[in-house]
Amino acid sequence: MTNKTDRIIIFDTTLRDGEQCPGATLNIDEKLVIAKQLARLGVDIIEAGFAFASPGDFEAVSKIAKIVGTENGPVICSLARAIKADIEAAAEALKPAVNARIHTFISTSDIHLEYQLRKSRAEVLAIAEEMVAYAKSFVTDVEFSPMDAARSDPEFLYQVLERTIAAGATTVNIPDTVGYTTPSEFGAIIKGIIENVPNIDQAIISVHGHNDLGLAVANFLEAVKNGARQLECTINGIGERAGNASLEELVMALHVRRQYFNPYLGRPEESQEALTNIDTRQIYKTSRLVSNLTGMLVQPNKAIVGANAFAHESGIHQDGVLKNKLTYEIMDAQLIGLTDNQIVLGKHSGRNAFRTRLKELGFELSDTELNKAFVRFKEVADKKKDISDWDLEAIVNDEIQQAPDLFRVELVQVSCGSNARPTATVTLRTPEGEELTDAAIGTGPVDAVYKAINRVVNVPNELIEFSVQSVTAGIDAIGEVTIRLRYESKVFSGHAANTDIIVASAQAYVNALNRLYASLRTQEKQEVSTQKV
Ligand code: KIV
Ligand code: ZN
């Protein structure tokens, strides 16, 4: 492969760098659900995790490699430090993938060398070269990242890139690890690499960047203009600190402004050929899925996928859009899969109609998942006359989320009002199958429910985020509740959808507590096995 590719390769790192943000922790089945959706979205490479980091990460990479890494599926990648044991774990986990990539990295900036690695430049150069060659002994597709490249001495960077390409790296990735660079500086770094690394034509130049100054997407677009051909990004821009460059913003910028970017890729300006392989109609659905499963909400004014991204509030804008959409809209909402809120199903719709519509929406459910979702659909249809596509998505996302089923909500009852003290009674089924009921008074109905649940579960935690959003307009709309809670230094999220927001609140809280409870159990098991050793 050479960097002469005439399209942009999309490398999705939602499941690796994206999952590194506090509280976004996903379990293996949730990662698999997201990986399948990323494949439907059309990403070229899925960075499925960091196989050496934990047994859970290893299993997730391996499962995704097996199920999603098929002949026609995306390349499956695992991150690995430039350390033999990491590379071996990555290679082992990736074995089931038809197309596998090992992504190995080591820092190259002086500040990282001095304070973090405590190694000389000569040592780092030798390790990078040796470990790329080692990775190459397992797979043909090897990516190398000089971490903190954007703050590295350019001459040293050129040297490291030349040597790692010679050792077998087929992609060299240039990270702006701390999100410090500006677009023109980042573009100049890529230009410098093309001009000064003699064997650069034997590798694809990739970029990776964090959004600390809100410049990640702009930096990447400038990098594309200067020769970068792979973009490392995440859905909704989730990731460490301020996040990573957002996939949907990059893809839509390249799509909407393709006439501008075409010449940089050697195409005629007027070419209509897509610049990426992404099926843009899957963008909205993928965004919702990642937000629901990670508990990382999308801000309403977020470009492309925010709730307000296509809403026109000002009278002048509304007037213009009614006369001609192009007056104030640069892209059609349907392009990202935002259909008009179609009323598709109702209480009398049968399983076949339900299954068919889900299929049309791109959901592929197992029989068990379909049955569970159908039961939920019927419950919702009893309370809500018309069920739209968005309702269906909320129901299915709720049912297929894979929070461990430890505590289960059996009953929620509240009493509240202007002259009442909010009181809640809850019954939970414990992991041992016992039904426990407790009651509490709170400042409001949700507070009372959460206090009652805490009395049953009895794991001290701090609620740090609570949000309710309605899926569609209307008084009978489904409400989606997302919460995040903190236990010691860890954050756990929970999500649930229901026409009754108090029930959704209870369910979301129990989902988060189940994640916390499962993590405590795993920790306990690990402690016991360490003691045995
Ligand atoms: O931000 C970063 O530098 C990374 C590397 C591992 C590519 O995530
Ligand atoms: Zn990163």
Side-chain angles (χ1 to χ4, degrees):
M1 204 150 36
T2 74
N3 69 356
K4 297 284 182 292
T5 169
D6 68 347
R7 72 169 178 88
I8 302 297
I9 298 165
I10 298 296
F11 176 110
D12 181 277
T13 184
T14 306
L15 297 174
R16 199 278 296 172
D17 218 346
E19 209 236 358
Q20 271 172 235
C21 60
T25 321
L26 299 158
N27 64 36
I28 294 168
D29 293 324
E30 288 167 338
K31 285 186 182 179
L32 188 60
V33 169
I34 293 179
K36 285 182 184 170
Q37 179 55 30
L38 291 172
R40 258 176 244 129
L41 177 67
V43 306
D44 299 286
I45 298 132
I46 295 178
E47 190 164 45
F50 188 167
F52 185 79
S54 71
D57 267 53
F58 183 94
E59 205 187 326
V61 175
S62 177
K63 225 170 171 179
I64 292 170
K66 184 165 175 220
I67 298 171
V68 187
T70 54
E71 182 79 51
N72 298 320
V75 174
I76 309 297
C77 171
S78 171
L79 187 68
R81 288 169 300 176
I83 295 175
K84 278 192 171 175
D86 275 39
I87 293 171
E88 286 158 13
E92 186 60 31
L94 290 169
K95 261 187 187 159
V98 176
N99 299 303
R101 172 180 296 189
I102 295 178
H103 174 193
T104 188
F105 72 98
I106 189 166
S107 291
T108 49
S109 67
D110 287 338
I111 188 163
H112 281 208
L113 262 60
E114 186 176 347
Y115 296 102
Q116 200 180 12
L117 296 180
R118 297 183 199 280
K119 290 196 189 310
S120 67
R121 287 185 179 185
E123 284 171 307
V124 165
L125 188 59
I127 294 170
E129 188 175 21
E130 193 191 339
M131 289 304 112
V132 166
Y134 191 55
K136 196 78 180 177
S137 70
F138 295 100
V139 290
T140 49
D141 187 349
V142 175
E143 172 169 333
F144 171 72
S145 288
M147 186 146 99
D148 206 15
R151 291 192 302 171
S152 301
D153 169 26
E155 292 304 324
F156 181 52
L157 184 63
Y158 302 151
Q159 217 182 345
V160 172
L161 295 178
E162 182 180 353
R163 296 271 283 270
T164 49
I165 294 170
T170 38
T171 299
V172 285
N173 178 43
I174 310 304
D176 178 17
T177 304
V178 291
Y180 179 73
T181 320
T182 64
S184 56
E185 285 169 343
F186 204 50
I189 291 173
I190 305 303
K191 187 166 181 277
I193 289 169
I194 291 185
E195 285 168 359
N196 293 287
V197 177
N199 53 358
I200 196 66
D201 62 336
Q202 290 166 34
I204 299 276
I205 300 178
S206 166
V207 284
H208 178 108
H210 288 265
N211 209 24
D212 299 66
L213 296 174
L215 295 172
V217 168
N219 285 344
F220 278 29
L221 295 176
E222 205 56 31
V224 165
K225 286 164 62 181
N226 285 279
R229 291 294 174 264
Q230 175 181 289
L231 308 180
E232 300 203 353
C233 43
T234 61
I235 302 296
N236 300 335
I238 64 169
E240 285 268 352
R241 308 183 306 278
N244 287 65
S246 137
L247 181 147
E248 57 280 3
E249 291 176 22
L250 287 164
V251 167
M252 291 314 290
L254 290 170
H255 181 80
V256 172
R257 299 302 312 276
R258 56 191 182 284
Q259 259 98 16
Y260 174 76
F261 287 103
N262 276 336
Y264 294 104
L265 282 97
R267 302 173 176 204
E269 195 181 310
E270 65 286 357
S271 168
Q272 291 298 326
E273 203 189 322
L275 285 168
T276 70
N277 266 355
I278 296 294
D279 175 358
T280 61
R281 281 165 202 274
Q282 293 287 335
I283 285 179
Y284 184 70
K285 170 134 66 75
T286 317
S287 160
R288 300 261 307 162
L289 181 70
V290 169
S291 170
N292 289 347
L293 293 184
T294 58
M296 303 289 295
L297 291 176
V298 173
Q299 79 203 49
N301 59 325
K302 161 91 174 61
I304 317 294
V305 290
N308 294 349
F310 292 92
H312 297 276
E313 203 58 34
S314 121
I316 296 176
H317 287 209
Q318 285 175 351
D319 176 60
V321 168
L322 286 174
K323 287 175 177 146
N324 182 337
K325 272 192 172 191
L326 294 178
T327 51
Y328 289 95
E329 267 186 20
I330 58 165
M331 58 194 147
D332 192 327
Q334 291 194 356
L335 251 183
I336 62 150
L338 252 173
T339 49
D340 290 334
N341 181 17
Q342 286 182 60
I343 307 300
V344 285
L345 299 176
K347 167 170 160 167
H348 300 296
S349 308
R351 184 185 298 264
N352 221 358
F354 180 68
R355 186 206 309 264
T356 308
R357 188 60 198 151
L358 288 185
K359 230 176 167 176
E360 282 164 9
L361 289 172
F363 288 105
E364 280 167 34
L365 304 190
S366 67
D367 285 348
T368 325
E369 285 171 339
L370 188 85
N371 287 344
K372 274 170 75 186
F374 188 65
V375 171
R376 276 294 304 282
F377 161 71
K378 282 289 179 187
E379 279 168 16
V380 174
D382 267 343
K383 296 181 187 141
K384 189 175 190 302
K385 196 167 146 269
D386 300 316
I387 309 282
S388 69
D389 283 345
W390 296 0
D391 294 322
L392 283 181
E393 283 187 355
I395 293 169
V396 174
N397 284 341
D398 203 36
E399 278 308 313
I400 60 177
Q401 76 169 310
Q402 313 281 340
D405 203 8
L406 295 168
F407 288 92
R408 214 183 266 189
V409 181
E410 296 291 340
L411 173 130
V412 184
Q413 222 172 358
V414 291
S415 145
C416 58
S418 55
N419 288 322
R421 296 192 69 188
T423 311
T425 306
V426 297
T427 301
L428 300 187
R429 185 178 292 276
T430 68
E432 292 73 35
E434 206 183 338
E435 276 198 3
L436 295 179
T437 300
D438 218 319
I441 292 173
T443 50
V446 175
D447 185 47
V449 168
Y450 283 13
K451 284 195 170 118
I453 291 174
N454 279 335
R455 288 169 69 97
V456 175
V457 177
N458 205 14
V459 179
N461 68 82
E462 185 196 349
L463 184 68
I464 53 174
E465 196 174 308
F466 172 85
S467 118
V468 191
Q469 284 175 319
S470 74
V471 173
T472 50
I475 198 72
D476 62 351
I478 290 182
E480 287 189 308
V481 175
T482 305
I483 70 131
R484 277 143 67 80
L485 54 84
R486 187 182 290 127
Y487 173 79
E488 296 180 341
S489 57
K490 285 193 181 155
V491 178
F492 298 88
S493 68
H495 175 89
N498 201 292
T499 44
D500 183 325
I501 57 163
I502 303 294
V503 175
S505 304
Q507 191 61 62
Y509 192 51
V510 168
N511 285 347
L513 285 173
N514 279 341
R515 287 200 162 98
L516 159 56
Y517 203 75
S519 131
L520 289 178
R521 279 184 161 187
T522 316
Q523 205 175 311
E524 259 169 38
K525 272 192 212 147
Q526 278 165 354
E527 277 164 15
V528 171
S529 66
T530 328
Q531 277 161 15
K532 278 189 192 148
V533 174

